[in-house]
Amino acid sequence: MIPEDHPRYRSLITRERLAECARSGIVSWEGLTAHGRGEAFDYLIGEKTTGSALQAERTAAALLLAAHHPVISVNGNTAALAAPEIAALQKASGAIVEVNLFHRTEERVRQIEELLREAGCDVFSGTAERLLPLSHDRAWCRREGMYSADVVLVPLEDGDRCEALVQMGKTVIAIDLNPLSRTARSATLTIVDELTRALPQITKACTEVSPDECRQLTGSVDNHYLLSEAIREITLRLSHAMD
Ligand code: ATP
Ligand code: MG
């Protein structure tokens, strides 16, 4: 039992949720270590949505709204942490929700799809094929889903697949707390923010951006600037800590 007045209550509850989902097979054991890296970077950015992350979230909303075939790619950690938030974003953006896993088994895919459906997602399932140019199992996707997408939102992505999707000509939006990762550097747009803070902000922006703002945002994506701002934020916090 975690006491509610514990200063790290939210973080401990999240860990408990991930451990429970690892025991039931939804989250891979490796996914737990990926979360740990995320937590470390969240500490460094101050566990809040920065100004540049908010700007990236608004731009992500504009890219999803302007897309012809937007897809949200969901893995085990994303489903465990944010299934209701994915459902809300799907409603606001009209995107397809598709499961894509590094540690892939048919049973895990089925479990994650079920969790997403229970949270209100309309999950695009059906026969997957090995369609992406990758040697590992993230190559598996659906022809009418991710393979045909023009814009893909990839929360908690690995760098390999992010690069492969960009090389296929897709606009890739990553959510990644590590501004130095290959994912962050190869995506078209990177949101350096925690998943459960980022998704509701994108959903909210979907209901706010006007067609004019949408055109302006999609026409001026500058990921290098956004990543530099995230790194500047971290550096500033570190230098204050040394004062
Ligand atoms: P690459 O450099 O190839 O992108 P990676 O080691 O970052 O490699 P993974 O381990 O697959 O790739 O990615 C986990 C990433 O997800 C980490 O960068 C971590 O910062 C980020 N992450 C983990 N949990 C969260 C979260 N809740 N919200 C946002 N980002 C997260
Ligand atoms: Mg990564």
Side-chain angles (χ1 to χ4, degrees), residues 46-57:
E47 297 176 313
K48 61 171 182 357
T49 300
T50 62
S52 57
L54 202 59
Q55 188 184 339
E57 282 149 7

Side-chain angles (χ1 to χ4, degrees), residues 34-35 37-38 41 81 156-160 175-178 181-183 193-195:
H35 179 76
R37 174 142 59 202
F41 276 98
L81 294 175
L156 323 187
E157 185 61 28
D158 62 274
D160 272 17
I175 302 176
D176 191 338
L177 278 159
N178 176 4
S181 76
R182 283 184 306 140
T183 302
D193 199 3
E194 203 281 323
L195 177 72

Side-chain angles (χ1 to χ4, degrees), residues 107-234:
E107 175 59 11
R108 270 194 83 213
V109 173
R110 195 196 55 73
Q111 272 182 293
I112 293 170
E113 289 181 348
E114 193 179 298
L115 173 70
L116 290 168
R117 288 198 177 100
E118 277 166 12
C121 294
D122 182 5
V123 181
F124 190 78
S125 51
T127 320
E129 298 169 67
R130 220 186 159 100
L131 292 172
L132 304 183
L134 292 168
S135 54
H136 53 73
D137 280 353
R138 286 202 109 168
W140 287 86
C141 68
R142 279 99 186 165
R143 197 169 282 281
E144 305 304 326
M146 198 149 342
Y147 183 71
S148 316
D150 54 348
V151 176
V152 193
L153 172 67
V154 289
L156 323 187
E157 185 61 28
D158 62 274
D160 272 17
R161 194 174 70 121
C162 185
E163 278 166 21
L165 292 170
V166 169
Q167 266 162 28
M168 288 170 81
K170 301 182 192 305
T171 296
V172 179
I173 308 165
I175 302 176
D176 191 338
L177 278 159
N178 176 4
L180 302 170
S181 76
R182 283 184 306 140
T183 302
R185 300 195 157 252
S186 52
T188 318
L189 173 76
T190 305
I191 299 166
V192 183
D193 199 3
E194 203 281 323
L195 177 72
T196 60
R197 292 196 303 267
L199 291 171
Q201 290 293 353
I202 307 173
T203 302
K204 183 164 163 278
C206 280
T207 64
E208 290 173 355
V209 292
S210 66
D212 265 0
E213 189 187 355
C214 196
R215 264 190 298 279
Q216 185 251 319
L217 286 170
T218 54
S220 60
V221 180
D222 185 350
N223 209 39
H224 185 265
Y225 163 78
L226 292 168
L227 291 178
S228 315
E229 281 299 294
I231 293 166
R232 200 177 58 81
E233 193 82 35
I234 290 173

